[in-house]
Amino acid sequence: MATPDKPSEKPDDEVTESFDSMADGSDPGIFQEFIWFVKYNKKWWLTPILVVFLLLVVLAFLTNSPAAPFIYTLF
Amino acid sequence: MTAILGLSAFYHDSAAVLLIDGEIVAAAQEERFTRKKHDAAFPIHAIEFCLRRAGITADELDHVGFYEKPLLKFDRLLETYLSFAPQGFPSFWKAMPAWMTEKLHLRREIRRGLGNEFKRRIAFCHHHQSHAASAFFPSPFDQAAILTMDGVGEWATTTMGVGQGNKIQLTDEIRFPHSLGLLYSAFTYYCGFRVNSGEYKLMGLAPYGQPKYVDVIKDRLLTIHDDGSFHLNLDYFGYCQSLRMTTPKFHRLFRRPPRQRDSAIEDLDRDLAASIQVVTEEIVLRSARHLYDKTKCSNLCLAGGVALNCVANGRVLREGPFDSIWIQPAAGDAGGALGVAQFIWHQLLDKPRQSTENDAQRGSLLGPESSSDQVQSVLDRQGAVYEVISDPAELDRRTAALLAEGLVLGRYAGRAEFGPRALGNRSILGDPRCSDMQSTMNLKIKFRESFRPFAPVVLLDHVGEFFDLADRHTSPYMLLVCQTKTDALPAVTHVDGSARVQTVDKEKNPRFEALLTEFYRQTGCPVLINTSFNVRGEPIVGSPEDAYRCFMKTHMDALVIEDCLLVKERQAGGPE
């Protein structure tokens, strides 16, 4: 048995705000969430992998777009 | 008023649950509406039902919670694929489109599903926190140890902890890829049953075999420690890096490729089913003992898919150190929707919780219901021949008489059950004293394997006469297996003399209790066969239309839908 991982620290807003008032805030967005995730789970080593992965996804989208001929000359 | 909507979706058994001021107002699984078994789609119909039941709209919801954390799950996928690269590439390639377009954008998907009417932030709870919350908060205990075991959520596959008052705390976990649920699913796959739904069949097959392979499994496939934790030998399992549960090495060990679904069940399948059942029970029992040593709680709450293994649950109750156990009836992922909603109410909003002698699950009768007018309108459209019997006592008398004649009868009454088990309201019933009832119901009505046993439903006051269940224990959710004490009930007694018993009392389901009491009055037998109202491969019926359709395409003899009684021989058409 292992002890569940503890996050390195709580999000700033979580420290001061109640759950109910936090619920009135706006959604963080996927990039903000990734940053929180990496920070609070101490998974810094994932950052370059996620960046490369993101670039591959962008590339996959671009190669199917009108920009494809320009991408081709670059790669 | 505080309205909280809990959701589970996108993996299997998507569901929605609505709490109003902490009370479970409505809960439903999407499959009952869409008619796709284990439907994983966003539970739009289940949400609609929950909101309609409470008479509110999505913009009146105070909180919406999702039963797991998608980013943490994505992290697990990514790390697993990286660990096994390049081996897992086909699996990675198959999984990623859904993640990129849907699963990583759950907020957007949920908002869209709620018609963009819900404006507040959406809460995400750990998968096993949701299970643990669903196990403890509705339970009748003020303090209890909590054990959750399933395939996998984000990283955890087993968690242990304690619940006290209005808080739960998980203190220990076993992490992916070491998973009891996935181990059991690997054998389910190898023995030719469908992963995620065939585990019940494997459990039902186990008593037909000999546990010959227990030592092989413990020597080669996993190491079990004293505290119930275990370590799988991943050379034998393919779920990390391939689209198969087992590897060629696993197949060489048992000298056969996986059984194909349409091929005959062999002795090897029966013996493996028996063996993995023994191993599963050993792990669950050791975990329970370790948890007791650690917490010294006298009560145990269980949830997660493994908690649907009612044979293991029965052993924990009989041989484990706990005085009482309570198992969440929707122990699989559907129950996660309930868990996250209750987690928000008690843990995050810090609302008090009052445990009661009866649990807060309300018999798990939390789903949709139909009025008599709605039923009659459906039956009229279908051209059905039926009789309306408005007096409930007369309806019970007629129904019990048909059952006593040895007829098989479908019952659609009151609110639908939340969870995989039909508990009397969406059930097919029969007389357990008939020796040929098991094969009749399996082959002519359920169209399923003849070896599969049926469950007995018994009046609570009489449980001790027929079943080896201690007086202080009840089994209202059909999640405990115990030995039968009599030979008088062949149709519900499994080959090893066991039965998956359901107890019925006035508190949880008064209408069903009245029917069983009437059957007892007429026959002297307080037991009926209870099996879910569906045929093989279909979800349990969700509407009067489904019930009528199922009635007409099987050899069921009679049907009671609310206060309407239908007898097959009076209907035009029917099964070939």
Side-chain angles (χ1 to χ4, degrees):
Chain A
M1 294 282 169
T3 306
D5 284 345
K6 292 277 182 289
S8 59
E9 59 186 275
K10 285 187 169 183
D12 295 339
D13 49 1
E14 205 175 293
V15 175
T16 52
E17 287 183 73
S18 71
F19 175 76
D20 206 26
S21 53
M22 279 173 68
D24 282 328
S26 56
D27 279 343
I30 193 82
F31 289 106
Q32 180 67 57
E33 251 194 309
F34 267 118
I35 292 165
W36 282 353
F37 169 77
V38 169
K39 189 175 168 188
Y40 300 124
N41 291 286
K42 297 168 277 184
K43 298 210 173 186
W44 299 105
W45 62 271
L46 265 178
T47 313
I49 295 164
L50 286 171
V51 168
V52 170
F53 185 69
L54 199 69
L55 285 174
L56 282 173
V57 171
V58 170
L59 187 65
F61 275 106
L62 283 177
T63 49
N64 287 320
S65 76
F70 305 102
I71 304 293
Y72 179 74
T73 55
L74 287 175
F75 291 89
Chain B
M1 182 193 83
T2 303
I4 303 173
L5 183 70
L7 299 173
S8 67
F10 299 121
Y11 297 95
H12 37 87
D13 297 316
S14 64
V17 172
L18 183 67
L19 299 191
I20 303 276
D21 292 333
E23 288 284 314
I24 312 170
V25 169
Q29 292 155 261
E30 187 69 359
E31 63 163 24
R32 307 289 166 86
F33 302 93
T34 60
R35 313 303 304 147
K36 292 180 195 157
K37 203 164 187 178
H38 304 294
D39 196 351
F42 187 79
I44 191 83
H45 301 90
I47 293 170
E48 270 174 26
F49 154 68
C50 288
L51 296 178
R52 198 172 56 245
R53 177 90 198 174
I56 60 172
T57 52
D59 64 330
E60 293 176 83
L61 290 168
D62 295 284
H63 299 281
V64 174
F66 191 73
Y67 81 128
E68 62 181 16
K69 290 181 181 279
L71 221 48
L72 210 51
K73 193 161 194 162
F74 183 66
D75 164 52
R76 191 248 299 162
L77 283 181
L78 213 55
E79 288 192 37
T80 306
Y81 286 132
L82 282 171
S83 309
F84 285 87
Q87 263 188 306
F89 189 74
S91 170
F92 174 79
W93 195 245
K94 195 163 182 256
M96 280 308 113
W99 275 97
M100 289 300 121
T101 56
E102 197 174 59
K103 293 180 183 178
L104 276 179
H105 307 279
L106 273 186
R107 283 194 176 85
R108 187 190 66 199
E109 296 296 314
I110 292 170
R111 286 193 192 289
R112 197 181 284 165
L114 293 170
N116 290 314
E117 287 178 21
F118 180 73
K119 304 295 180 197
R120 305 185 85 201
R121 272 171 80 173
I122 296 161
F124 293 84
C125 190
H126 282 93
H127 186 100
H128 276 261
Q129 258 174 350
S130 300
H131 278 318
S134 77
F136 176 68
F137 290 133
S139 79
F141 311 131
D142 186 51
Q143 184 184 32
I146 303 170
L147 176 62
T148 68
M149 293 175 143
D150 71 357
V152 62
E154 295 93 358
W155 278 102
T157 64
T158 294
T159 61
M160 291 181 178
V162 179
Q164 180 152 27
N166 68 343
K167 294 285 183 288
I168 57 168
Q169 188 185 10
L170 299 179
T171 52
D172 298 86
E173 68 178 21
I174 298 174
R175 305 188 92 195
F176 183 85
H178 307 290
S179 161
L180 180 56
L182 292 175
L183 171 70
Y184 205 87
S185 291
F187 278 88
T188 302
Y189 161 77
Y190 184 74
C191 293
F193 302 111
R194 200 185 289 270
V195 171
N196 272 338
S197 62
E199 282 76 5
Y200 241 88
K201 298 180 187 178
L202 195 71
M203 191 181 72
L205 187 63
Y208 290 92
Q210 296 298 320
K212 291 178 186 171
Y213 298 100
V214 170
D215 291 339
V216 176
I217 292 171
K218 283 158 70 171
D219 287 346
R220 308 289 284 275
L221 301 190
L222 80 160
T223 310
I224 308 174
H225 304 290
D226 288 342
D227 63 357
S229 63
F230 53 90
H231 192 276
L232 299 186
N233 182 347
L234 295 177
D235 291 346
Y236 292 92
F237 301 97
Y239 53 78
C240 288
Q241 75 278 25
S242 72
L243 299 168
R244 299 276 179 274
M245 292 301 289
T246 51
T247 60
K249 194 168 177 177
F250 187 105
H251 310 158
R252 282 196 298 276
L253 181 65
F254 296 110
R255 300 191 189 121
R256 196 198 70 181
R259 183 179 76 87
Q260 297 302 303
R261 259 177 227 151
D262 48 359
S263 64
I265 293 172
E266 300 173 1
D267 283 343
L268 176 65
D269 302 305
R270 286 183 270 269
D271 294 339
L272 283 175
S275 306
I276 193 61
Q277 183 61 35
V278 168
V279 172
T280 301
E281 289 167 21
E282 184 177 332
I283 291 172
V284 175
L285 263 171
R286 282 195 196 194
S287 302
R289 286 185 183 127
H290 171 71
L291 186 55
Y292 178 79
D293 290 341
K294 199 169 166 167
T295 63
K296 298 295 178 207
C297 290
S298 56
N299 306 312
L300 173 68
C301 294
L302 295 170
V306 176
L308 292 171
N309 192 313
C310 37
V311 182
N313 296 343
R315 278 197 68 189
V316 171
L317 182 64
R318 284 191 305 277
E319 300 170 37
F322 293 97
D323 292 339
S324 304
I325 68 174
W326 191 85
I327 307 147
Q328 165 55 238
D333 278 6
L338 173 62
V340 65
Q342 293 191 310
F343 189 84
I344 290 172
W345 177 251
H346 290 299
Q347 191 108 1
L348 300 178
L349 295 172
D350 200 24
K351 299 293 183 185
R353 169 180 172 269
Q354 193 68 49
S355 59
T356 54
E357 194 179 337
N358 266 313
D359 60 50
Q361 188 85 13
R362 297 165 58 192
S364 218
L365 304 175
L366 304 164
E369 64 184 337
S370 308
S371 68
S372 179
D373 288 345
Q374 286 170 328
V375 172
Q376 288 180 46
S377 153
V378 168
L379 294 178
D380 289 340
R381 270 205 309 275
Q382 305 282 349
V385 180
Y386 64 93
E387 201 178 332
V388 180
I389 306 171
S390 308
D391 176 15
E394 175 62 10
L395 182 64
D396 288 343
R397 197 189 62 72
R398 296 276 299 276
T399 306
L402 291 170
L403 288 165
E405 280 176 41
L407 302 187
V408 178
L409 181 140
R411 183 173 190 264
Y412 180 107
R415 296 187 70 176
E417 299 88 347
F418 179 56
R421 306 276 78 84
L423 301 171
N425 284 10
R426 302 290 183 275
S427 290
I428 299 172
L429 307 172
D431 187 340
R433 298 167 301 166
C434 306
S435 55
D436 59 349
M437 194 56 92
Q438 182 184 359
S439 57
T440 303
M441 286 175 83
N442 266 332
L443 300 174
K444 289 188 172 177
I445 291 157
K446 301 281 283 189
F447 303 127
R448 68 184 199 183
E449 301 87 342
S450 62
F451 69 84
R452 293 179 62 187
F454 288 106
V457 53
V458 59
L459 285 172
L460 181 60
D461 294 342
H462 294 271
V463 64
E465 297 165 28
F466 296 88
F467 304 102
D468 189 14
L469 198 67
D471 285 345
R472 62 201 163 88
H473 294 131
T474 62
S475 179
Y477 302 116
M478 209 192 272
L479 285 168
L480 291 170
V481 163
C482 60
Q483 289 295 302
T484 50
K485 286 181 175 175
T486 169
D487 297 330
L489 307 171
V492 291
T493 307
H494 208 0
V495 66
D496 60 350
S498 68
R500 179 162 50 100
V501 67
Q502 179 199 352
T503 55
V504 173
D505 60 86
K506 249 185 198 148
E507 295 283 334
K508 290 202 168 61
N509 195 345
R511 290 291 301 115
F512 192 40
E513 193 266 354
L515 172 62
L516 207 52
T517 303
E518 177 60 24
F519 183 74
Y520 175 51
R521 194 189 65 77
Q522 290 187 21
T523 65
C525 175
V527 186
L528 281 171
I529 297 175
N530 176 11
T531 186
S532 53
F533 197 157
N534 64 336
V535 294
R536 186 183 186 179
E538 283 188 7
I540 295 174
V541 295
S543 66
E545 287 94 333
D546 299 335
Y548 180 74
R549 208 177 304 126
C550 185
F551 169 63
M552 289 304 289
K553 73 179 182 186
T554 65
H555 289 85
M556 211 181 298
D557 301 301
L559 171 65
V560 173
I561 313 185
E562 296 303 337
D563 57 0
C564 300
L565 174 66
L566 293 83
V567 178
K568 179 62 72 55
E569 59 191 22
R570 291 188 211 146
Q571 311 299 318
E576 293 299 312

